[in-house]
Amino acid sequence: MRITSTSCICPVLFCLCFVQRCYGAAHHGSIKVTRNQTKHIEGETEVHHRPKRGWVWNQFFVLEEHMGPDPQYVGKLHSNSDKGDGSVKYILTGEGAGTIFIIDDTTGDIHSTKSLDREQKTHYVLHAQAIDRRTNKPLEPESEFIIKVQDINDNAPKFTDGPYIVTVPEMSEMGTSVLQVTATDADDPTYGNSARVVYSILQGQPYFSVDPKTGVIRTALHNMDREAREHYSVVIQAKDMAGQVGGLSGSTTVNITLTDVNDNPPRFPQTQVGSAVGKIKANDADTGSNADMKYTIINGDGAGVFSISTDKETREGILSLKKPLNYEKKKSYTLNIEGANTHLDFRFSHLGPFKDATMLKIIVGDVDEPPLFTMPSYVMDVYENAKIGTAVGTVTAQDPDAANSLVRYFIDHNTEEDRYFTIDANTGTIKTAKIFDREETPWYNITVAASEIDNPGLVSHVPVGVRILDVNDNPPELAREYDIVVCENAKPGQVIQTITATDKDNSANGARFHFSLDEGPSLNPNFTLRDNEDNTASILTRRRKYSRTTQDIYYLLVLISDGGVPPLSSSSTLTIRVCACERDGRVRTCHAEAFLSSAGLSTGALIAILLCVVILLVFSLAIVVLFITLRRSKKEPLIISEEDVRENVVTYDDEGGGEEDTEAFDITALRNPSAAEELKYRRDVRPEVKPAPRHHHSSSLDSVDVQEFIKQRLAEADLDPSVPPYDSLQTYAYEGHRSEAGSISSLDSVTTHSDQDYNYLGDWGPEFKKLAELYGEIESERTT
């Protein structure tokens, strides 16, 4: 039975025809135009005659603010009509063509020659066409494409409406909205974090706060008193890159004024510094300028506490307070006041000095005052996660009156924050009432009040700010979820993703992150991780090429640890998908079903392909069975004789018996070449041609050496027509004729040791010196 090659190919041709019919039926009547095509053709039947266009793009974007010395590479145009012989010419038209973007009309490479600014123009619309260089006729319809300018972070946030002037009523509740500020960033908000702005307050704490996302400014203290402070200057900062290191920032000033509310009852004023204490007047009988006078304090214990001035209209001396009075320290003062005329007439100087003096006694009245704190405000620190009852700090107030009444402390529980702390009513020690989390609330503002036990109505207040200190209680974690893709044609050491981490703790406990792989006892053969030592890490491929059909998803366990004390770590699993990519790295598809559908095969075409595969497998199996059958029918034994030349090849691992061991192999042929002169036939192949006789002169056998003997046997084997080209084992181990010194082999040692004389070994020269010494020692031992 003989099978021709034509009969094997017929099923394949049948299958291909069937696939073509199914594919043509599924796509008849319409053409799918690629994304770069602009003209649709309906009703075309000769689809395969139309030139197919293919644009190959390495980039669809160009970076803005490119400052390199060479033009920036944008992409590449390539038509399927281009055979590389230079007959195709590429033309580029549209926005910036020829000025900003230039094209190599032979290769289709597009470059940008100028530095672009995305904030001025975000994209450019261009048209490309391939024409015949000789005829200038278009090879394809003109295609339109867009080159987008990719954004970089080159614009800082700006407050277009600043500086701001705003008012808020005094005594407002904590958290009252004051103003919302807005900063704009000219960078692209859809790409990265270049335009993601975060607000923070640089000046104005602890009185005001700002929401980091919305920019709403709120009061951070309650009961802010206009009578204590009316004006505040708050500085707000806006930083892009979501506030990360390296982001650009801008700031503005918000001037806030507290407006008055009726929060003070009427009071009779106490004597204060600068206020008039009393008046004194000296009488002068003159009139006009002759009665003008000046009052001065000449001495007394109150000269440094009081001052006097003259009212020119009433000619009175007005006594004012220079320093505050303290009844508990001094209850009265004595002043000597002098009044003198300012315009003297020397004609009447003999009438006496034109001045007069008097003594004035001032009595200080006692007033009950509220307790006085030792500081106008307090700032205290406490670590987060501190146990309930941990002491935060102590405030101190005293009764300024002489009675020195005992002071009682308490916290104004007007807000929820005030309930996080307690205070000892007698000592003023503030303690925690709850466990704090700095990542949730880093700062608390409370108000502590003090009153006299004897007169609870006299109360004084002081603001207390409590700062929550950070401890390393949050492990680092990945900054976001990553969709990692590895191309099937990836190369070893290729970076496929750069990951970053975040830590809710502050920079002291989470500024430096360490990345590693949890590989276990075995090394990951597919991917590795490189710590970039800048709080980022790169995922790299470890081997060449990946297959979606073998494994389409890989899982990589990444360990992240911070630099806090003690260090904390966490693990995250990265999912890596295997995708089919173009040569430039662009992802084509990531699913097996998408890979099949990309060829445009219908269900009928897939069934036809499977049918072809089954038919080919059946024919292949039939050919194999036929071949085995033919081989069995022609099989003959290679060895026609029971006596096999290979039976003389004996393998043994024990030491031989020397010259007495002659049973395993006939060594006669090794001793005398004449014993091998008998004509031998190969026993592994039946000879068909009688070999030519070999003629040798017996006289030459005595003088032949090994080299000539071997050459002779080789020549006879090459010229013998009865010898087929089969491998055979032929052993040529003749030792040669005796030397002048005779043989030293044990094969010829037929006498006993006592009959041997080894003294002649010393005459053979230095090469046999050691041998002569050995046998000389043996001989001497025997003699002894």
Side-chain angles (χ1 to χ4, degrees):
M1 178 179 179
R2 185 177 181 183
I3 300 176
T4 62
S5 59
T6 307
S7 60
C8 296
I9 298 176
C10 286
V12 180
L13 297 178
F14 168 75
C15 293
L16 293 179
C17 294
F18 186 62
V19 172
Q20 183 178 9
R21 290 179 59 86
C22 295
Y23 182 79
H27 294 78
H28 181 72
S30 64
I31 299 176
K32 184 178 180 181
V33 183
T34 60
R35 60 181 175 183
N36 287 325
Q37 292 177 337
T38 56
K39 183 178 180 180
H40 296 266
I41 304 175
E42 299 294 340
E44 180 66 45
T45 58
E46 297 295 331
V47 178
H48 57 279
H49 293 297
R50 182 174 179 267
K52 184 180 179 181
R53 180 191 321 158
W55 301 121
V56 180
W57 285 99
N58 290 335
Q59 290 180 336
F60 288 98
F61 59 86
V62 59
L63 287 175
E64 68 168 334
E65 308 294 347
H66 177 69
M67 303 302 294
D70 300 326
Q72 188 178 3
Y73 183 73
V74 178
K76 182 182 182 68
L77 289 175
H78 181 74
S79 173
N80 289 346
S81 302
D82 191 352
K83 305 304 180 181
D85 55 359
S87 61
V88 178
K89 181 179 180 181
Y90 297 97
I91 300 177
L92 189 68
T93 58
E95 298 178 332
T99 57
I100 299 177
F101 302 101
I102 59 174
I103 186 171
D104 189 316
D105 60 0
T106 302
T107 63
D109 291 328
I110 303 175
H111 290 81
S112 173
T113 61
K114 295 183 179 181
S115 178
L116 304 179
D117 189 356
R118 191 205 66 85
E119 287 70 37
Q120 294 182 359
K121 190 172 180 63
T122 59
H123 65 277
Y124 295 83
V125 180
L126 294 100
H127 298 82
Q129 190 173 32
I131 65 173
D132 191 301
R133 190 179 294 274
R134 293 183 295 272
T135 62
N136 287 333
K137 292 183 179 180
L139 300 176
E140 299 178 6
E142 186 179 68
S143 297
E144 179 181 282
F145 61 94
I146 296 176
I147 298 179
K148 293 184 178 180
V149 182
Q150 186 177 0
D151 182 51
I152 64 173
N153 189 22
D154 58 343
N155 291 276
K158 295 182 180 180
F159 293 92
T160 57
D161 299 332
Y164 302 86
I165 299 176
V166 66
T167 60
V168 62
E170 65 170 334
M171 310 304 291
S172 297
E173 293 291 333
M174 188 180 67
T176 301
S177 176
V178 179
L179 175 69
Q180 182 177 14
V181 295
T182 303
T184 58
D185 195 313
D187 292 321
D188 188 359
T190 63
Y191 181 79
N193 294 325
S194 298
R196 185 180 175 186
V197 177
V198 173
Y199 300 93
S200 61
I201 185 167
L202 300 180
Q203 177 182 317
Q205 290 179 328
Y207 307 102
F208 298 93
S209 64
V210 64
D211 190 289
K213 295 182 179 180
T214 63
V216 176
I217 301 174
R218 302 179 184 275
T219 58
L221 294 176
H222 64 276
N223 297 336
M224 297 177 64
D225 193 0
R226 182 198 67 84
E227 288 73 27
R229 182 176 177 181
E230 184 176 3
H231 300 286
Y232 296 86
S233 180
V234 179
V235 178
I236 302 297
Q237 180 192 66
K239 189 174 184 179
D240 59 16
M241 296 297 292
Q244 298 179 3
V245 177
L248 305 177
S249 62
S251 60
T252 187
T253 302
V254 181
N255 296 310
I256 303 175
T257 301
L258 299 183
T259 58
D260 185 48
V261 297
N262 189 11
D263 58 339
N264 292 284
R267 302 282 186 184
F268 288 103
Q270 299 179 2
T271 304
Q272 298 180 0
V273 176
S275 62
V277 177
K279 298 179 180 180
I280 189 173
K281 184 176 183 181
N283 296 323
D284 192 330
D286 297 323
T287 60
S289 60
N290 294 325
D292 293 341
M293 63 184 64
K294 180 182 179 181
Y295 298 93
T296 58
I297 299 175
I298 55 178
N299 55 36
D301 55 1
V305 180
F306 298 93
S307 64
I308 192 170
S309 60
T310 303
D311 188 339
K312 295 182 179 180
E313 297 295 332
T314 62
R315 297 184 177 91
E316 293 177 333
I318 300 179
L319 197 64
S320 301
L321 191 63
K322 292 172 62 177
K323 295 182 179 180
L325 302 177
N326 192 333
Y327 173 82
E328 288 72 25
K329 292 183 179 180
K330 193 172 182 63
K331 298 179 176 57
S332 64
Y333 294 90
T334 300
L335 299 176
N336 292 324
I337 300 176
E338 178 185 76
N341 287 127
T342 56
H343 301 283
L344 299 178
D345 191 342
F346 294 100
R347 294 177 300 169
F348 306 102
S349 59
H350 62 281
L351 297 178
F354 288 84
K355 58 183 178 180
D356 194 8
T358 185
M359 183 180 69
L360 180 63
K361 185 175 182 180
I362 300 175
I363 298 175
V364 179
D366 187 19
V367 176
D368 194 4
E369 301 174 85
L372 182 64
F373 285 95
T374 56
M375 296 178 63
S377 62
Y378 294 84
V379 176
M380 302 176 183
D381 298 328
V382 65
Y383 282 98
E384 65 174 330
N385 300 332
K387 296 181 179 180
I388 296 176
T390 302
V392 180
T394 303
V395 297
T396 304
Q398 294 179 348
D399 182 11
D401 300 326
N404 194 17
S405 300
L406 295 178
V407 176
R408 176 181 172 270
Y409 303 95
F410 59 94
I411 297 177
D412 282 344
H413 293 290
N414 295 328
T415 63
E416 184 65 25
E417 289 188 359
D418 296 325
R419 305 183 185 277
Y420 280 73
F421 302 92
T422 61
I423 190 170
D424 191 295
N426 298 321
T427 63
T429 301
I430 300 175
K431 297 181 180 181
T432 60
K434 294 184 179 180
I435 297 178
F436 300 102
D437 185 1
R438 189 202 67 86
E439 289 71 37
E440 181 179 349
T441 306
W443 190 280
Y444 291 88
N445 298 290
I446 62 175
T447 300
V448 176
S451 65
E452 296 180 6
I453 296 179
D454 299 336
N455 188 3
L458 294 176
V459 181
S460 58
H461 299 83
V462 66
V464 178
V466 180
R467 181 171 46 231
I468 309 301
L469 302 179
D470 184 51
V471 296
N472 194 25
D473 59 343
N474 290 278
E477 56 187 12
L478 291 178
R480 60 181 179 86
E481 293 184 0
Y482 292 92
D483 184 13
I484 305 177
V485 171
V486 61
C487 295
E488 288 184 316
N489 56 356
K491 299 179 180 179
Q494 180 177 343
V495 177
I496 60 175
Q497 183 67 52
T498 299
I499 60 175
T500 59
T502 59
D503 196 325
K504 295 180 181 180
D505 297 319
N506 62 18
S507 59
N509 289 314
R512 176 68 176 92
F513 301 130
H514 302 274
F515 298 84
S516 62
L517 289 182
D518 186 7
E519 296 179 321
S522 61
L523 191 68
N524 191 317
N526 302 307
F527 303 94
T528 184
L529 182 143
R530 181 182 64 202
D531 193 335
N532 298 326
E533 298 184 356
D534 59 353
N535 291 342
T536 65
S538 300
I539 306 298
L540 297 89
T541 56
R542 178 162 274 172
R543 62 184 178 88
R544 182 185 302 275
K545 292 190 178 182
Y546 299 82
S547 175
R548 287 175 297 154
T549 58
T550 303
Q551 184 173 353
D552 59 346
I553 295 179
Y554 292 87
Y555 297 99
L556 198 63
L557 187 61
V558 178
L559 298 179
I560 311 172
S561 60
D562 57 24
V565 179
L568 299 179
S569 63
S570 66
S571 61
S572 300
T573 301
L574 298 176
T575 302
I576 304 175
R577 297 185 297 146
V578 180
C579 299
C581 303
E582 304 290 349
R583 290 186 177 180
D584 55 355
R586 290 185 292 112
V587 176
R588 187 170 70 244
T589 179
C590 294
H591 301 286
E593 58 271 18
F595 177 77
L596 294 176
S597 63
S598 62
L601 299 179
S602 63
T603 304
L606 293 177
I607 296 176
I609 292 175
L610 294 177
L611 182 60
C612 289
V613 173
V614 173
I615 294 174
L616 290 176
L617 290 176
V618 172
F619 270 86
S620 299
L621 183 60
I623 292 173
V624 172
V625 173
L626 178 62
F627 179 76
I628 294 175
T629 304
L630 293 176
R631 287 292 300 271
R632 289 181 177 178
S633 62
K634 294 181 178 181
K635 186 174 181 181
E636 294 181 358
L638 296 178
I639 304 300
I640 62 176
S641 175
E642 296 180 356
E643 184 178 341
D644 191 358
V645 296
R646 290 172 294 179
E647 68 183 4
N648 288 332
V649 181
V650 180
T651 301
Y652 54 90
D653 56 357
D654 57 339
E655 187 174 354
E659 60 187 11
E660 298 178 358
D661 186 7
T662 59
E663 297 180 359
F665 192 80
D666 186 8
I667 62 174
T668 305
L670 299 178
R671 294 180 178 178
N672 188 1
S674 60
E677 287 301 312
E678 183 182 356
L679 183 61
K680 303 289 183 180
Y681 291 96
R682 289 176 58 112
R683 286 173 293 178
D684 56 343
V685 178
R686 183 187 301 273
E688 297 180 358
V689 181
K690 185 175 182 180
R694 303 174 186 176
H695 302 282
H696 298 286
H697 300 284
S698 59
S699 59
S700 63
L701 294 177
D702 297 334
S703 61
V704 70
D705 58 0
V706 175
Q707 183 176 5
E708 291 297 330
F709 178 75
I710 293 175
K711 288 183 178 180
Q712 181 181 352
R713 285 289 182 262
L714 289 176
E716 292 176 357
D718 292 338
L719 298 177
D720 191 352
S722 64
V723 179
Y726 292 115
D727 293 337
S728 62
L729 177 64
Q730 299 186 23
T731 304
Y732 303 96
Y734 174 63
E735 292 185 354
H737 288 284
R738 294 178 179 271
S739 63
E740 296 179 0
S743 176
I744 62 173
S745 173
S746 63
L747 298 177
D748 290 335
S749 300
V750 295
T751 60
T752 61
H753 290 289
S754 60
D755 297 332
Q756 297 292 330
D757 184 9
Y758 301 102
N759 294 329
Y760 60 86
L761 295 177
D763 300 333
W764 288 3
E767 292 83 358
F768 297 90
K769 181 179 180 181
K770 187 65 179 179
L771 188 62
E773 293 177 356
L774 292 175
Y775 278 86
E777 292 177 359
I778 296 174
E779 190 68 23
S780 61
E781 290 177 358
R782 292 174 182 171
T783 304
T784 304

